[in-house]
Amino acid sequence: METLLEVKDLNVSFRTQAGVVKAVRGVNFKVNKGETLAIVGESGSGKSVTSKAIMQLLPNQTATYDSGEIIFDGQNILEINDKKMEAIRGSEIAMVFQDPMTALNPTMTIGKQVAESILNHNKNVTKKEALQRAVEILELVGIPEPAARVNQYPHQFSGGMRQRVVIAIAIACNPRLLIADEPTTALDVTIQAQILDLLKDIQRKTGTSIILITHDLGVVANMADKVAVMYAGRIVEQGTVEEVFDSAEHPYTWGLLKSIPDLDADEELYSIPGTPPDLLSPPIGDAFAARNEFALAIDYEVQPPMFAVSETHSAATWLLHEKAPKLSTIVQEKESVRAKRKGKKNLTLAQPIIQVRDLKKHFRMSGDSYLKAVDGVTFDIKKGETLGLVGESGCGKSTTGRTILRLYEPTGGEVYFNGKPIHGDLKKSDENTIRQKMQMIFQDPYASLDPRKKVLDSVAEGIDIHKLAASAKDRKDTVQNLLEIVGLNKSFMNRYPHEFSGGQRQRIGIARALALNPEVIIADEPISALDVSIQAQVVNLLKDLQHKQDLTYLFIAHDISMVKYISDRIGVMYLGSLVELAPTDELSKEPLHPYTQALLSAVPTPNPKIERGRERIILSGDLPNPINPPVGCRFRTRCPYAMEKCGETPIWKEAQPNHWVACHLIE
Amino acid sequence: MKKFLAVRIFNILVTLFVIATVTFFLMKLLPGSPFDEEKLADLSDEARMEFYARYGLDQPVYVQYAKYMGNLVQGDLGISYYYKGQKVESLISGRIGPSALLGVQATILGVSIGLILGMIAAFRHNTAWDFFTMFIAVIGVAIPNFVFAALLQYYVGLKWGILPVAFWESYDSSILPTIALSMMVIALIARFMRNEMLEVLQQDYILTARSKGLSQMKVIIRHTLRNSMIPILTILGPIVVSLLTGSLVIENIFGIPGIGSLFVDSIKVNDYTTIMGLTIFYSTFYILTVLVVDLLYGIVDPRIRIAGSKG
């Protein structure tokens, strides 16, 4: 196969106020014509910097290329002048960005934004021709009625449609290399499936090579031919997708693969201990050594070279040195010792701690229209269980959680806590009790802690409000104890939030929620802002706490694989209503509602063999506008089985014992 | 769009009604008048009553109010207490010319230089260019414009003798006051523009534009400028109003017969009808400018266009 792009010993650093950050430290890889290379890594691993270096899009005031070559089509991109680079950018190499909500100019029509690229690279094309071509490309990427929509502005498009426009801009000049930087991270899972499908389709039609930057191993398994795993600015392992997934050689790759919950395994979720190193002063030896349970003495002293495992597969770990101890036996021993998941809870007899009946929350929009964020949901949360609530953005899952807590005043319906009503007018004392017994963990660990408050005061806030501490010493002791419970050093209490990493902040958030000895914790997307290896740490902590402190969780998330791992039962929401509720195993094996089926099918699994072979249910279209949802079954506009009867609202019924569903197909 | 305009115009009328009413009663509450008893002591009682009657001051306050509002609706602002027999509206229209010329010139000069300085500062962020322009911006805000005016008069007018020092005699007379007036605008706009451009340059869509292979210049003109202008429009409204309606101080320093000096004079002599007339004039102008700015928003930012046509 012919090589299109070769990156040789690339080193990139950034000047920051704190010092020089060595973001990319000696990266080597090749991309052949027509193939897809996935670069996988966590935030700060240097994967985005590498991709922007290829495009020469790094800010030239702060970024410097210390050494290396980027050879595209025989010429070194790092050595050519701006004019020549402008000619390559957009026409030979193009890029798709992460967030479609911000990647388009809000004050320029869609058509002009696509045509601009064509005009820029074809001197003899007229504006009219370029716009005509833009219409064709928009049609190709699946924008309905492109001729009419070229005159619209980005805000008139949904997120998924905007990402199609971003892709249209990228492919407008038939680039030979397409760099997609986390192209689906900001999208919902059913939309992600559409976009991945589109990228593959474009590759089939145009033969372009793709560099896919992502942190999601499921997406990699679905899309990639080759994989490069990055850690702390270096590629630690690369090979074909089968080689990396089936016979990974680097301990970091092992860790990543094992951090992903696998429903069949009955053991505790593996988590890589610690956090990535600070690239202001990268460690001398292997940057991963400090987190590597198999680290050898030499790992701390000398950076390992790339050891070739096969012609295509190589990894940078001393474990592959011929004199290194053979690990396979050690690994097996460790595996067997690892804590078994505390057997399945038997919750069939458990009493409901929270009962939600026909709960409604409508927000008033401009004029007389209402956004029916939650429109009549009914379910129980049993004592000691974890109820997962999943659904795409805008389905009302977060609003449900907040309305149960009465952070929002419900529009209608009833909520009972331990059999006592907690809706309607409450006595101040009753309200205080609820506020104590139910706590919340928020999504964004950066925004949910007051930056001007010490950890001590943030965690103790609830204790202060409810006057639970007898003395200042008592208060301090409680907080110290809480910090230890969530796995933080108790001396951290005198520090401020900015001194902590995302994972540590989320632990502080958990400590704050635990401070009042709650019975129920509502966790609203508690891990979605965290990196894969840190997610596993937090999920394990939550499970451990549940076991020790007898907690009940309502776990709200859009990451279905994680919800499947942590939850005893799962509820699926769509456009403000609950469409299915069942025990986790049953829901994953035998989903009844067509939306649940599509949702589960849309999640890519980190297994290339499964991903290659499987038929995905790809839902057409976007979520309807929740201000004016479809009458009757709300899913019917996207449902493959929609029939006449779906115009009526389906009844919420127990189709099988403990398996609730609202669908006309199930009688 | 029509509904939006209708609602806005109705709101404007209500606002003006409130302003007129409040101003009227405030004036009535103030002690003193141009016709104080002692000043009119020489007149006979009859003559005095006749004098009051001529200005409608012999009637109860509510009648005066009704009359005033009635006249106002017809565009009649009443007769000046000070300038004998002159109608307030003709006083204003006679004085508006110089103020408007100064205002328009200062707006154009201030905004264009401010925008250019702001752009330079943003593109040469954290370099000597940036520090220099921001130094100018700080000076423009920190030093009052009458100090600039005095400096300009002394150097350009007296020492070098290039331009007239004061008075309103030829077009040349307008140059120094225009420069003095525009300093503040330059400073404000430069600062805003710099911050906005830096903000916009950080946006993802600028990266998208660059990834199309557009040159730096095209990225700036097509993608950066328009988006940076949106917040500038907000501060532009009040700036235009204060410049066009005349600067009280600058007009006095340069001896220019504009609206600003009319306002100052009428306050000195308790010329209540003129004060009221000018207040209403200022308010109307201000409100209309805000309306124009809002309409401009819609042109510059399509997101606002949609919201506007719905509301």
Side-chain angles (χ1 to χ4, degrees):
Chain A
M1 254 200 275
E2 216 177 322
T3 304
L4 180 68
L5 175 88
E6 183 170 11
V7 175
K8 284 184 192 164
D9 192 36
L10 182 68
N11 280 275
V12 182
S13 54
F14 287 93
R15 272 177 292 126
T16 67
Q17 284 179 335
V20 176
V21 175
K22 299 191 179 67
V24 175
R25 308 183 299 139
V27 161
N28 295 284
F29 63 85
K30 274 186 197 171
V31 181
N32 292 331
K33 283 193 177 151
E35 78 176 0
T36 302
L37 167 75
I39 303 181
V40 192
E42 298 178 87
S43 46
S45 63
K47 57 189 195 302
S48 273
V49 176
T50 307
S51 68
K52 290 205 179 94
I54 299 170
M55 281 291 268
Q56 291 282 288
L57 281 178
L58 293 172
N60 41 21
Q61 286 175 345
T62 51
T64 42
Y65 302 92
D66 300 322
S67 67
E69 290 172 57
I70 298 174
I71 303 198
F72 177 76
D73 203 23
Q75 53 185 342
N76 185 356
I77 283 177
L78 294 180
E79 280 172 359
I80 61 179
N81 63 23
D82 284 357
K83 265 259 137 339
K84 275 191 174 160
M85 191 60 220
E86 277 160 18
I88 293 177
R89 227 185 263 144
S91 96
E92 302 281 317
I93 312 176
M95 195 154 179
V96 175
F97 297 92
Q98 172 171 357
D99 188 354
M101 303 315 268
T102 57
L104 294 170
N105 184 344
T107 60
M108 195 187 244
T109 62
I110 293 298
K112 274 191 188 158
Q113 295 195 46
V114 179
E116 192 177 31
S117 185
I118 301 165
L119 282 168
N120 195 50
H121 295 289
N122 300 285
K123 296 292 169 248
N124 45 8
V125 172
T126 64
K127 276 192 181 171
K128 217 176 145 200
E129 287 165 352
L131 209 61
Q132 186 49 44
R133 177 98 182 92
V135 173
E136 288 163 20
I137 296 165
L138 288 171
E139 173 127 51
L140 178 73
V141 298
I143 303 274
E145 298 171 62
R149 302 208 73 175
V150 282
N151 293 320
Q152 291 188 322
Y153 290 90
H155 68 272
Q156 290 159 298
F157 288 72
S158 69
M161 283 296 150
R162 287 192 209 190
Q163 193 63 313
R164 287 172 190 268
V165 175
V166 174
I167 292 173
I169 291 174
I171 64 166
C173 296
N174 281 324
R176 289 194 281 168
L177 176 61
L178 188 62
I179 302 174
D181 189 354
E182 303 266 12
T184 56
T185 309
L187 303 175
D188 277 316
V189 53
T190 59
I191 309 295
Q192 163 171 297
Q194 292 174 359
I195 295 293
L196 293 180
D197 216 44
L198 173 65
L199 284 173
K200 275 196 262 187
D201 193 44
I202 287 167
Q203 187 172 41
R204 229 181 351 258
K205 283 179 185 154
T206 65
T208 180
S209 308
I210 297 180
I211 296 181
L212 179 74
I213 314 283
T214 182
H215 67 278
D216 186 333
L217 290 166
V219 172
V220 176
N222 178 291
M223 293 284 294
D225 302 309
K226 288 198 308 192
V227 186
V229 181
M230 278 191 83
Y231 184 79
R234 294 178 67 86
I235 289 180
V236 294
E237 178 155 14
Q238 59 180 322
T240 65
V241 70
E242 290 82 8
E243 285 166 339
V244 172
F245 277 85
D246 296 344
S247 50
E249 295 288 353
H250 197 284
Y252 177 64
T253 317
W254 296 341
L256 276 187
L257 288 168
K258 276 190 285 185
S259 305
I260 298 162
D262 179 357
L263 201 65
D264 305 327
D266 222 16
E267 55 188 29
E268 188 176 314
L269 197 54
Y270 179 80
S271 66
I272 305 172
T275 48
D278 187 354
L279 292 181
L280 272 172
S281 50
I284 305 162
D286 183 0
F288 187 62
R291 302 174 74 186
N292 182 359
E293 53 184 319
F294 311 110
L296 308 169
I298 190 171
D299 275 316
Y300 291 93
E301 284 154 23
V302 186
Q303 203 153 268
M306 273 293 204
F307 290 96
V309 183
S310 75
E311 216 167 280
T312 46
H313 188 190
S314 55
T317 168
W318 285 115
L319 293 173
L320 287 173
H321 192 266
E322 53 188 12
K323 287 183 185 159
K326 291 290 159 272
L327 260 191
S328 48
T329 47
I330 310 176
V331 178
Q332 270 166 12
E333 269 169 43
K334 286 231 175 197
E335 296 272 311
S336 62
V337 183
R338 189 176 296 141
K340 287 271 171 203
R341 206 158 121 187
K342 320 280 186 300
K344 281 258 184 284
K345 288 173 254 176
N346 187 355
L347 291 160
T348 38
L349 296 174
Q351 288 299 309
I353 187 164
I354 287 181
Q355 290 160 292
V356 179
R357 295 288 171 269
D358 199 28
L359 187 70
K360 287 182 179 151
K361 177 67 203 172
H362 300 174
F363 293 101
R364 189 172 174 160
M365 308 304 281
S366 65
D368 291 327
S369 57
Y370 284 87
L371 171 71
K372 296 176 178 171
V374 178
D375 203 22
V377 299
T378 296
F379 62 89
D380 287 350
I381 306 176
K382 292 177 186 164
K383 198 162 172 47
E385 82 166 339
T386 300
L387 177 67
L389 210 49
V390 294
E392 297 178 274
S393 50
C395 72
K397 55 191 190 301
S398 288
T399 309
T400 304
R402 290 176 187 188
T403 312
I404 291 173
L405 255 184
R406 292 194 72 165
L407 292 177
Y408 294 145
E409 201 52 39
T411 310
E414 293 151 17
V415 182
Y416 300 89
F417 177 71
N418 275 333
K420 279 190 2 197
I422 56 169
H423 50 272
D425 292 329
L426 289 179
K427 274 188 290 179
K428 195 82 197 147
S429 59
D430 286 345
E431 204 183 310
N432 271 341
T433 324
I434 307 164
R435 292 255 187 266
Q436 253 188 64
K437 294 296 170 203
M438 297 201 284
Q439 285 292 309
M440 187 138 184
I441 300 170
F442 295 92
Q443 170 173 8
D444 187 344
Y446 291 87
S448 61
L449 289 172
D450 185 340
R452 284 171 204 84
K453 268 196 176 137
K454 284 181 183 168
V455 170
L456 170 69
D457 298 315
S458 275
V459 173
E461 203 167 18
I463 300 177
D464 299 340
I465 290 168
H466 294 280
K467 302 192 177 62
L468 296 182
S471 64
K473 189 178 175 302
D474 190 20
R475 175 175 182 261
K476 215 162 118 183
D477 289 345
T478 318
V479 172
Q480 282 185 344
N481 190 20
L482 286 165
L483 289 179
E484 281 184 345
I485 289 174
V486 298
L488 293 173
N489 190 318
K490 60 185 176 187
S491 68
F492 286 177
M493 68 177 185
N494 286 321
R495 296 201 195 163
Y496 289 92
H498 71 263
E499 298 172 62
F500 299 97
S501 68
Q504 286 173 321
R505 286 178 202 222
Q506 203 53 303
R507 286 172 192 265
I508 297 171
I510 295 171
R512 175 174 60 183
L514 291 175
L516 296 173
N517 278 321
E519 290 176 32
V520 177
I521 288 185
I522 296 178
D524 189 0
E525 301 268 11
I527 53 169
S528 58
L530 306 174
D531 271 321
V532 181
S533 71
I534 310 297
Q535 282 188 354
Q537 293 176 5
V538 172
V539 164
N540 281 339
L541 172 68
L542 286 173
K543 279 193 89 93
D544 188 45
L545 288 172
Q546 178 168 50
H547 183 69
K548 284 185 188 146
Q549 309 213 352
D550 201 19
L551 292 167
T552 304
Y553 290 140
L554 177 62
F555 190 90
I556 300 163
H558 68 273
D559 178 353
I560 292 147
S561 53
M562 209 47 107
V563 173
K564 281 205 294 200
Y565 174 74
I566 196 172
S567 307
D568 301 299
R569 291 190 304 148
I570 296 179
V572 180
M573 283 188 78
Y574 184 80
L575 268 189
S577 55
L578 205 53
V579 298
E580 188 160 3
L581 175 67
T584 302
D585 291 348
E586 208 174 313
L587 190 91
S588 10
K589 284 186 190 120
E590 210 188 325
L592 294 176
H593 198 283
Y595 177 64
T596 315
Q597 291 164 2
L599 196 64
L600 292 172
S601 144
V603 183
T605 36
N607 184 332
K609 284 188 208 93
I610 296 176
E611 278 300 312
R612 294 282 149 84
R614 87 188 215 187
E615 272 297 311
R616 208 175 278 287
I617 307 169
I618 293 188
L619 288 179
S620 57
D622 290 317
L623 277 172
N625 186 348
I627 294 175
N628 201 356
V631 184
C633 174
R634 294 184 167 186
F635 184 57
R636 70 189 166 98
T637 52
R638 295 172 79 195
C639 182
Y641 311 108
M643 48 193 182
E644 207 174 304
K645 205 177 172 195
C646 299
E648 298 162 30
T649 308
I651 303 159
W652 182 237
K653 52 190 169 278
E654 196 166 9
Q656 289 156 24
N658 290 319
H659 193 147
W660 294 75
V661 65
C663 178
H664 289 298
L665 288 173
I666 301 1
E667 289 308 332
Chain B
M1 191 64 198
K2 270 183 195 153
K3 194 185 161 201
F4 167 74
L5 263 183
V7 170
R8 283 300 297 265
I9 289 170
F10 177 75
N11 284 343
I12 287 175
L13 293 177
V14 172
T15 314
L16 283 177
F17 171 79
V18 172
I19 290 174
T21 307
V22 170
T23 324
F24 180 87
F25 286 102
L26 275 178
M27 289 298 129
K28 288 291 156 199
L29 281 176
L30 280 178
S33 90
F35 322 119
D36 276 341
E37 302 286 321
E38 50 193 272
K39 288 184 195 152
L40 300 178
D42 301 346
L43 295 177
S44 66
D45 282 355
E46 258 174 50
R48 199 186 301 156
M49 285 320 291
E50 196 201 307
F51 196 87
Y52 280 148
R54 194 191 316 163
Y55 291 99
L57 294 171
D58 54 341
Q59 280 151 333
V61 171
Y62 62 89
V63 179
Q64 290 183 32
Y65 172 67
K67 250 190 174 163
Y68 185 80
M69 294 306 270
N71 288 337
L72 187 61
V73 173
Q74 297 160 35
D76 181 355
L77 295 170
I79 300 165
S80 164
Y81 289 176
Y82 181 74
Y83 301 96
K84 280 216 182 71
Q86 289 225 45
K87 305 217 80 178
V88 172
E89 59 268 27
S90 57
L91 266 179
I92 294 177
S93 63
R95 296 283 202 112
I96 187 94
S99 294
L101 178 67
L102 285 187
V104 170
Q105 287 190 160
T107 308
I108 294 173
L109 184 73
V111 170
S112 45
I113 294 187
L115 286 181
I116 291 169
L117 286 183
M119 277 154 63
I120 292 174
F123 277 102
R124 299 276 176 266
H125 184 41
N126 279 340
T127 64
W129 284 96
D130 187 11
F131 298 130
F132 175 67
T133 44
M134 282 308 105
F135 179 66
I136 293 183
V138 171
I139 288 186
V141 176
I143 301 183
N145 54 13
F146 55 82
V147 176
F148 277 121
L151 286 173
L152 287 171
Q153 280 178 320
Y154 179 70
Y155 283 102
V156 185
L158 281 178
K159 257 194 142 169
W160 307 335
I162 303 171
L163 288 165
V165 177
F167 303 122
W168 195 252
E169 279 148 357
S170 65
Y171 175 77
D172 289 353
S173 312
S174 74
I175 296 177
L176 288 187
T178 298
I179 296 174
L181 268 179
S182 62
M183 283 311 287
M184 180 81 162
V185 185
I186 292 176
L188 277 176
I189 299 275
R191 204 171 188 81
F192 254 78
M193 191 62 186
R194 171 182 179 266
N195 292 350
E196 280 313 315
M197 293 255 324
L198 287 178
E199 177 89 27
V200 170
L201 285 172
Q202 296 292 320
Q203 297 296 317
D204 289 350
Y205 57 80
I206 296 300
L207 215 55
T208 309
R210 288 179 60 203
S211 79
K212 290 177 192 171
L214 298 181
S215 64
Q216 175 93 331
M217 210 54 203
K218 281 184 186 163
V219 172
I220 295 168
I221 293 170
R222 292 199 200 147
H223 296 274
T224 317
L225 279 185
R226 188 171 180 179
N227 287 296
S228 314
M229 294 295 271
I230 298 166
I232 302 273
L233 275 178
T234 320
I235 56 163
L236 209 53
I239 286 179
V240 167
V241 172
S242 69
L243 288 182
L244 286 190
T245 49
S247 154
L248 317 184
V249 183
I250 293 291
E251 284 183 13
N252 255 330
I253 291 179
F254 286 96
I256 294 165
I259 284 197
S261 53
L262 175 67
F263 207 177
V264 175
D265 293 343
S266 61
I267 290 169
K268 277 192 231 159
V269 296
N270 287 349
D271 185 356
Y272 291 154
T273 37
T274 309
I275 298 176
M276 272 192 284
L278 280 170
T279 309
I280 290 165
F281 174 74
Y282 276 127
S283 315
T284 314
F285 199 78
Y286 184 81
I287 294 171
L288 287 179
T289 312
V290 171
L291 177 66
V292 170
V293 166
D294 282 356
L295 293 176
L296 279 179
Y297 265 140
I299 293 172
V300 178
D301 192 341
R303 289 166 294 186
I304 293 170
R305 207 177 301 164
I306 294 300
S309 64
K310 265 185 196 161

